[in-house]
Amino acid sequence: YFTHLTLQEEMRCLIAALALAAVVWLAYLPYLFFQPNEWFYTRFLLPAIPIMIVFAAACALTAVRALPAAWRTPAIASISVLVGAMSLHYAHTNGVFDIRNQERKYPLAGEFVRTRGPANAFVLAAQHSGSIRYYANRPTLRWDLLSPTRLDEALATFRAQGYEPLLVVDVGEYEQFRERFAATGQHAVQQLTPLAVVGDARVFAFR
């Protein structure tokens, strides 16, 4: 494509690509979840990553072209093997290849609520709030945004409107739920009845 452009037009395209990558990075640099062990949030940088790869490859090729002709092919092969090996090692050590098993809890928990939960369920959830709506087609309430003093009131309101309240929590959320509402004496905390364990997700009724 660039062979049909003038040098000035090529520079404009390059500057525009760099500007796009820079804007994407600047938009997400302050983002709370960009931590070293949370590589999966780099998906937000996807518009910039292909541009970065192209420019990184261009820089590498420029360095390779400076080598004697006999060294270029071995250098390219070595770089390719090194980058590939490092990428595979990082993916393996950070559970990239296990992501399917890790994420299956969302559709499985949703399927349990849809097929084995009451048809009139109203689900309290935090991490699973969106997936329960999508996979189970049940209304949800973010319990982590509910006032710590209003759990009993919320459940009474659900029941008065013909709903059966359920709770779906992810690993670690169960204790957070209990601590949040037990501290204010909410009786519903003592009514939690386990229904299922689906991977890291746990489903409870209030009985």
Side-chain angles (χ1 to χ4, degrees):
Y1 174 75
F2 285 103
T3 58
H4 300 289
L5 300 179
T6 65
L7 180 60
Q8 187 177 19
E9 290 172 332
E10 287 182 9
M11 288 302 299
R12 288 176 182 172
C13 289
L14 293 175
I15 292 171
L18 284 172
L20 174 61
V23 167
V24 172
W25 268 92
L26 290 173
Y28 285 104
L29 276 179
Y31 199 60
L32 174 65
F33 295 101
F34 277 4
Q35 304 296 326
N37 62 331
E38 294 176 327
W39 57 267
F40 32 82
Y41 288 110
T42 54
R43 65 184 184 272
F44 298 130
L45 300 176
L46 281 175
I49 289 174
I51 298 171
M52 295 161 57
I53 291 174
V54 169
F55 278 98
C59 292
L61 288 174
T62 300
V64 168
R65 289 193 185 102
L67 297 173
W71 291 12
R72 293 174 186 173
T73 299
I76 292 174
S78 299
I79 292 172
S80 300
V81 170
L82 179 62
V83 171
M86 291 178 63
S87 299
L88 287 173
H89 175 73
Y90 185 90
H92 178 73
T93 55
N94 287 273
V96 173
F97 301 119
D98 194 45
I99 198 72
R100 177 180 180 274
N101 292 329
Q102 297 172 12
E103 299 301 301
R104 286 181 72 241
K105 60 188 176 184
Y106 297 108
L108 290 178
E111 181 182 1
F112 178 89
V113 171
R114 179 176 57 83
T115 60
R116 301 182 62 183
N120 61 339
F122 202 118
V123 183
L124 281 77
Q127 182 73 15
H128 289 262
S129 57
S131 55
I132 291 295
R133 274 187 174 273
Y134 182 79
Y135 292 111
N137 194 27
R138 300 291 188 269
T140 59
L141 174 70
R142 286 280 300 271
W143 61 261
D144 56 325
L145 302 180
L146 180 66
S147 169
T149 63
R150 300 190 64 184
L151 176 62
D152 290 345
E153 179 185 346
L155 298 189
T157 300
F158 294 157
R159 291 184 174 119
Q161 295 180 359
Y163 290 106
E164 180 65 28
L166 297 180
L167 173 68
V168 178
V169 288
D170 206 35
V171 59
E173 289 186 332
Y174 175 69
E175 291 302 327
Q176 295 174 11
F177 179 88
R178 290 187 62 89
E179 291 172 4
R180 180 179 181 85
F181 297 107
T184 60
Q186 299 296 292
H187 299 295
V189 174
Q190 308 304 321
Q191 300 171 355
L192 287 171
T193 303
L195 296 181
V197 176
V198 186
D200 290 336
R202 301 172 68 181
V203 184
F204 294 87
F206 293 91
R207 296 172 180 167

